Amino acid sequence: MYNSNAQSGKQKISPEGREALNKFKMESASEVGVELKQGYNGHLTSREAGSVGGQMVKKMVEAYEKDLK
């Protein structure tokens, strides 16, 4: 009845796409003053991780709004 792969939210991404997202994440982290290292970043607090994700979303929304004009 439902596709478990679609429900999980996990979709395959190309190596180039993964690299671009990683670069975007590192740039966003730098902008909010969070130091990320390559790979696992389990040392981050929830606040730090959330601020990185929030910055990424903010930049994506700004880019989308700019494209609408």
Side-chain angles (χ1 to χ4, degrees):
M1 303 233 186
Y2 73 92
N3 183 339
S4 62
N5 288 336
Q7 293 296 319
S8 71
K10 294 193 176 201
Q11 298 177 359
K12 294 192 183 222
I13 185 169
S14 69
E16 296 84 9
R18 183 171 309 282
E19 186 177 324
L21 281 173
N22 218 13
K23 181 179 177 190
F24 182 55
K25 178 174 62 175
M26 297 299 256
E27 289 173 0
S28 296
S30 177
E31 290 172 3
V32 294
V34 174
E35 188 174 329
L36 291 183
K37 57 183 180 181
Q38 292 294 343
Y40 181 68
N41 284 283
H43 67 284
L44 294 180
T45 65
S46 296
R47 177 178 288 242
E48 290 170 324
S51 67
V52 173
Q55 180 69 6
M56 291 174 72
V57 170
K58 179 181 173 184
K59 290 175 70 172
M60 287 186 271
V61 169
E62 288 172 352
Y64 177 76
E65 288 176 342
K66 181 180 175 186
D67 286 347
L68 285 178
K69 295 178 181 180

